[in-house]
Amino acid sequence: MPLIRSGLAALALLVLANPLAHAADTVRVTPLGGQDGEFCVLDRALVFEDPNGTRILYDAGRTVAGADDPRLGDIDVVLVSHVHGDHLGDRHIPEPNAGSCGSPAASEDDAPLSNSVKIAVAKDARIVTGSEMASFFAGRLQAAGGNPDNSVLVRFGAHVDEGGVGITTVPAVHSNGLSPKFIDGEMGKIYQAAGLTAYVGPPTGYVLTFSNGLVVYLSGDTGITADQEAVVQDYYGAKLAVINIGDTYTTGPTEAAYVVNELVEPASVIPSHANEPATKDGKVQTGTRTAAFIEAVDVPAHVPLSGRTMAFDAGGRCAEGC
């Protein structure tokens, strides 16, 4: 018994000396938004880090300052829910904090490759997508000097393992039109002149299963779908959800709260795609969609403040940083 007590005492001292020691089995989530410590109008990008070190970038969009963004670190997998410019990355900010929370200075043009593809090539990361997006990304990777085999397809109901993290795609109710600026040659000119976009299959959400057992639902841009209950909750049992709340183009705060409360039923949620400068000095502003969503959900809502890492346990509960 004395040996057991002394061992426990030593462990307690270790935890006190290193506050992160007890979070060794958590998934770390770091938002890469437009302004440090804020949740801003174009913020989409999140980096997930598995306890085993695998790092996944979700929807780089316009607020990741290119492949050289110092906040990125190593990236093993890039996820793109759909090819609209604010998720794929038709342009990006030249450096973190460029512009303002309401108007990020996304001045760097990424067509015809995209911010997502440039990051994947620079990091030698794999792009994992569903529908017909995989063939599009294979071509863009090759055009950027990368390996087209790094574009990985996972259709609805399928599963791939990337670095110990299980990845599947789930339906999202949205559109998935590709701007002509990403189409080479005469075909791109024809689409541009006709005011058309190309179609690269349906948009997707993702379900990620991390090595600590945490299951995360990434909604992408979506409305309310039956799959959010039948697939995301009933089959996969997601415990952490990242859901769009921006309205007009996706679920608004009331609809998103219904998805969380009645369909997915996670232990906690991270709002995304608010399409507003939701915070000031790191505090949620009254009268915003973000404030309305937090008020409407029955579970803890953790605002994704750029650069502030949150850690989640296997049950989807925030262990640090929230």
Side-chain angles (χ1 to χ4, degrees):
M1 287 295 291
L3 287 176
I4 294 174
R5 284 197 296 269
S6 63
L8 290 173
L11 178 60
L13 287 174
L14 177 62
V15 170
L16 288 173
N18 179 11
L20 296 181
H22 68 283
D25 290 330
T26 58
V27 173
R28 299 174 67 78
V29 184
T30 306
L32 301 185
Q35 298 287 316
D36 290 345
E38 305 290 0
F39 181 32
C40 297
V41 64
L42 286 179
D43 290 6
R44 314 282 190 262
L46 299 170
V47 173
F48 293 84
E49 183 172 342
D50 189 89
N52 69 18
T54 296
R55 289 171 57 82
I56 298 174
L57 172 64
Y58 168 59
D59 279 354
R62 297 168 179 159
T63 63
V64 176
D68 295 328
D69 191 320
R71 303 173 298 173
L72 273 175
D74 293 334
I75 297 294
D76 302 292
V77 177
V78 173
L79 305 179
V80 184
S81 61
H82 63 296
V83 296
H84 290 166
D86 59 324
H87 293 258
L88 172 65
D90 54 355
R91 59 186 191 273
H92 68 266
I93 56 176
E95 60 186 3
N97 303 313
S100 65
C101 195
S103 183
S107 57
E108 304 297 305
D109 189 0
D110 288 309
L113 296 175
S114 81
N115 197 17
S116 295
V117 167
K118 290 179 179 179
I119 291 168
V121 171
K123 302 294 183 180
D124 193 27
R126 289 156 73 83
I127 300 180
V128 179
T129 55
S131 63
E132 277 59 59
M133 289 187 282
S135 57
F136 163 71
F137 281 112
R140 293 296 83 192
L141 286 171
Q142 187 166 30
N147 181 359
D149 291 339
N150 279 343
S151 180
V152 177
L153 172 65
V154 55
R155 293 199 188 279
F156 301 140
H159 172 273
V160 295
D161 183 286
E162 294 290 337
V165 179
I167 303 174
T168 190
T169 52
V170 292
V173 180
H174 195 58
S175 62
N176 201 20
L178 178 69
S179 169
K181 70 174 75 174
F182 293 102
I183 304 172
D184 294 328
E186 195 63 29
M187 184 63 73
K189 296 177 183 178
I190 292 171
Y191 272 83
Q192 182 73 45
L196 298 174
T197 59
Y199 181 67
V200 289
T204 67
Y206 292 90
V207 174
L208 309 181
T209 303
F210 290 93
S211 66
N212 69 338
L214 175 65
V215 179
V216 179
Y217 169 51
L218 309 177
S219 73
D221 279 9
T222 190
I224 300 171
T225 78
D227 294 283
Q228 289 165 329
E229 181 176 28
V231 179
V232 176
Q233 175 53 33
D234 289 353
Y235 184 76
Y236 290 106
K239 297 302 181 185
L240 172 64
V242 177
I243 189 163
N244 43 253
I245 65 168
D247 220 349
T248 304
Y249 306 103
T250 70
T251 50
T254 302
E255 295 85 356
Y258 172 81
V259 172
V260 171
N261 294 340
E262 304 296 334
L263 303 181
V264 178
E265 299 183 76
S268 55
V269 63
I270 298 173
S272 182
H273 199 299
N275 291 348
E276 64 184 359
T279 62
K280 184 175 181 181
D281 298 326
K283 304 296 183 183
V284 175
Q285 300 195 76
T286 58
T288 59
R289 285 183 285 273
T290 303
F293 175 75
I294 293 171
E295 179 66 24
V297 291
D298 296 335
V299 300
H302 304 297
V303 179
L305 301 177
S306 182
R308 306 285 178 86
T309 297
M310 299 174 281
F312 293 88
D313 66 18
R317 296 172 291 270
C318 187
E320 288 185 18
C322 299

